[in-house]
Amino acid sequence: MASGDHRPADDGPDLGGSPPSDPGDTPPYRRGTHDPAVDSIWLRHRPPPPPRPRGLPRVTTLLLVAAFIVVLVLYLLVRPGG
């Protein structure tokens, strides 16, 4: 080596640096496998709801209709110019 040429010495393996840039290949997708990140309780099939008598609306439908009627009546009572 000439006196002006300086080559850095090989310090050995990089022990405290950044991780390698290539994380490697991901495993191939296999259909039907269970993902451990997903809670399996949400994926189970639920039994169908019990049958209701025909002609009777649900309670939530009755509540929504009642709320609409109340809002309509309040609007008609306190509307501007009316």
Side-chain angles (χ1 to χ4, degrees), residues 17-77:
S18 61
S21 61
D22 184 19
D25 294 337
T26 58
Y29 175 74
R30 291 183 297 171
R31 185 176 180 179
T33 59
H34 174 68
D35 185 2
V38 178
D39 194 8
S40 64
I41 193 166
W42 301 109
L43 300 177
R44 282 190 250 164
H45 293 287
R46 295 183 182 143
R52 290 181 294 114
R54 295 299 264 173
L56 295 177
R58 297 182 195 165
V59 174
T60 55
T61 304
L62 293 175
L63 290 175
L64 285 172
V65 169
F68 178 77
I69 292 172
V70 167
V71 169
L72 180 64
V73 168
L74 283 174
Y75 171 75
L76 292 175
L77 289 176

Side-chain angles (χ1 to χ4, degrees), residues 5-29:
D5 294 332
H6 177 69
R7 290 176 61 198
D10 186 16
D11 293 336
D14 186 18
L15 299 177
S18 61
S21 61
D22 184 19
D25 294 337
T26 58
Y29 175 74

